[in-house]
Amino acid sequence: MASKNVMVRFSDGRKYPQLGLGTWKSKPGEVSQAVKDAIDIGYRHIDCAYVYGNEKEVGDAITEKIKEGVVKREELFITSKLWNTFHRPDLVRGALMKSLQNLNLDYLDLYLIHWPQAYKEDGELFPVDESGKIQFSDVDYVDTWKALEPLQAEGLIRSLGVSNFNSRQLDRVLESASVKPVVNQVECHPYLVQKKLKEFCAARGVLLAAYSPLGSPDRPWAKPDDPRLLDDPRLKAIADRLGRTVAQVLIRYQLERGNIVLPKSVTRSRIESNFAVMDFQLSKADLELIDSFDCNGRFVPMTASLGHKHHPFENDAF
């Protein structure tokens, strides 16, 4: 193993590797090799989702590595997410079972509600009307959460969490949950530090997991003049001084804040360098400087569902 996995502890007592491989936007033809490379390199945490459309290939890679004896199932920590069209309580079990089938697993280590807003059921993953506008469902995510709790009791899920929930939404779940969410997975990087949300989560025993920690430069809606985190000269200066890549500095930044971090790559050399981050530290001055880059710079605003009553970023809640 190139680098040792540092573990964090969830409020339910379970441990989880702090650094994982993200698989959003990893194409089906590439993701299987990326996951195999990651497991060979030493990653034990793979972050997946039904809507990514590549869980089958991720599952093939996991199965192959277990079969080869490189890793045991119990050494792996696999996350997936319940998509917006499956929020209705009677659809939750089927959606989970489909992800388990795709991944060729008997259980998930962590299952998240992917977004708080529900979409129209029984059709496409992105159901649209004649004008191309996303069709909403009014299912309350609290009811979705209550449908997940028995699946954990059955042993199909080890830990439960949420993703893209703002503070008010997380509070509503916590108020009515029998099983508390252990994680809120949100976009997080130096342009969107999430200081208030992190403090809010920490006070309630919920860990923050950072997706798009490198600024998601390959997001499909990126415009040519959008700021690129990986090209930020202030980050390059820190990286050059430490003899590291900007990506390594960005990953280390999240680790030192106590966040779970999920960098995505399908390139073996980058998957490897993104994992080699346990043998250096950022100074207090570095961390404070990087914190100061915060400008509410959200790269994943989910504009498609603006207007939904449960859209997490449309009101003044953080």
Side-chain angles (χ1 to χ4, degrees), residues 88-142:
R88 206 173 66 207
D90 63 297
L91 299 175
V92 169
R93 172 187 282 276
L96 169 64
M97 298 313 287
K98 186 64 181 165
S99 279
L100 288 172
Q101 182 188 340
N102 286 342
L103 292 162
N104 196 23
L105 299 175
D106 296 325
Y107 68 90
L108 287 172
D109 298 276
L110 179 62
Y111 198 43
L112 312 178
I113 300 180
H114 204 150
W115 290 86
Q117 66 270 37
Y119 291 173
K120 184 175 180 288
E121 303 82 7
D122 307 317
E124 300 295 315
L125 295 179
F126 291 88
V128 292
D129 61 19
E130 304 75 38
S131 65
K133 188 174 176 354
I134 289 277
Q135 294 182 289
F136 302 156
S137 164
D138 62 0
V139 176
D140 189 333
Y141 52 82
V142 171

Side-chain angles (χ1 to χ4, degrees), residues 23-27 30 52 54 212 216 218-220 264:
T23 60
W24 175 42
K25 305 179 304 309
S26 298
K27 297 178 183 70
E30 302 170 331
Y52 299 167
N54 57 13
S212 299
S216 194
D218 58 344
R219 65 195 182 281
K264 170 259 171 183

Side-chain angles (χ1 to χ4, degrees), residues 29-311:
E30 302 170 331
V31 72
S32 196
Q33 190 57 50
V35 171
K36 286 189 274 192
D37 288 342
I39 290 172
D40 286 341
I41 287 160
Y43 287 76
R44 294 295 177 260
H45 171 183
I46 313 292
D47 183 75
C48 316
Y50 182 77
V51 78
Y52 299 167
N54 57 13
E55 283 189 329
K56 180 82 175 63
E57 289 81 4
V58 172
D60 290 345
I62 291 168
T63 301
E64 192 174 317
K65 286 297 154 188
I66 292 172
K67 203 168 160 186
E68 286 175 10
V70 175
V71 71
K72 297 186 179 78
R73 168 63 185 102
E74 57 270 24
E75 295 168 338
L76 291 171
F77 297 82
I78 312 299
T79 301
S80 188
K81 309 180 191 81
L82 178 77
W83 183 240
N84 306 6
T85 51
F86 306 113
H87 279 208
R88 206 173 66 207
D90 63 297
L91 299 175
V92 169
R93 172 187 282 276
L96 169 64
M97 298 313 287
K98 186 64 181 165
S99 279
L100 288 172
Q101 182 188 340
N102 286 342
L103 292 162
N104 196 23
L105 299 175
D106 296 325
Y107 68 90
L108 287 172
D109 298 276
L110 179 62
Y111 198 43
L112 312 178
I113 300 180
H114 204 150
W115 290 86
Q117 66 270 37
Y119 291 173
K120 184 175 180 288
E121 303 82 7
D122 307 317
E124 300 295 315
L125 295 179
F126 291 88
V128 292
D129 61 19
E130 304 75 38
S131 65
K133 188 174 176 354
I134 289 277
Q135 294 182 289
F136 302 156
S137 164
D138 62 0
V139 176
D140 189 333
Y141 52 82
V142 171
D143 294 328
T144 309
W145 184 266
K146 287 176 177 169
L148 284 167
E149 292 180 332
L151 303 178
Q152 192 211 29
E154 275 182 53
L156 297 170
I157 305 161
R158 293 285 193 262
S159 296
L160 282 170
V162 296
S163 181
N164 298 299
F165 276 49
N166 66 37
S167 57
R168 286 182 195 157
Q169 292 167 333
L170 182 59
D171 226 15
R172 282 193 69 224
V173 172
L174 286 164
E175 277 170 15
S176 60
S178 305
V179 179
K180 304 292 186 197
V182 297
V183 159
N184 188 10
Q185 186 185 125
V186 296
E187 179 182 349
C188 188
H189 45 72
Y191 296 164
L192 187 68
V193 169
Q194 301 277 23
K195 184 174 184 288
K196 283 165 78 175
L197 183 60
K198 179 176 168 55
E199 287 171 357
F200 182 92
C201 289
R204 290 154 182 79
V206 178
L207 284 176
L208 205 72
Y211 75 72
S212 299
L214 312 181
S216 194
D218 58 344
R219 65 195 182 281
W221 52 87
K223 297 184 181 73
D225 56 346
D226 282 350
R228 278 177 58 90
L229 197 56
L230 290 167
D231 295 334
D232 191 306
R234 301 166 297 182
L235 289 167
K236 279 187 166 172
I238 294 171
D240 290 347
R241 192 184 78 240
L242 294 169
R244 298 285 170 166
T245 67
V246 172
Q248 287 175 321
V249 168
L250 289 167
I251 294 162
R252 189 70 215 172
Y253 170 67
Q254 298 295 347
L255 294 173
E256 295 201 18
R257 297 177 74 210
N259 293 339
I260 293 168
V261 59
L262 304 162
K264 170 259 171 183
S265 180
V266 293
T267 309
R268 186 184 171 103
S269 59
R270 287 192 191 133
I271 292 169
E272 197 155 15
S273 72
N274 288 349
F275 197 65
V277 289
M278 301 303 175
D279 57 348
F280 77 102
Q281 285 186 309
L282 298 171
S283 68
K284 188 168 181 287
D286 287 335
L287 290 168
E288 286 172 358
L289 176 64
I290 297 171
D291 278 344
S292 76
F293 301 168
D294 189 24
C295 56
N296 200 31
R298 198 180 288 282
F299 291 122
V300 189
M302 200 56 161
T303 50
S305 52
L306 286 173
H308 196 297
K309 66 179 178 181
H310 294 314
H311 196 291

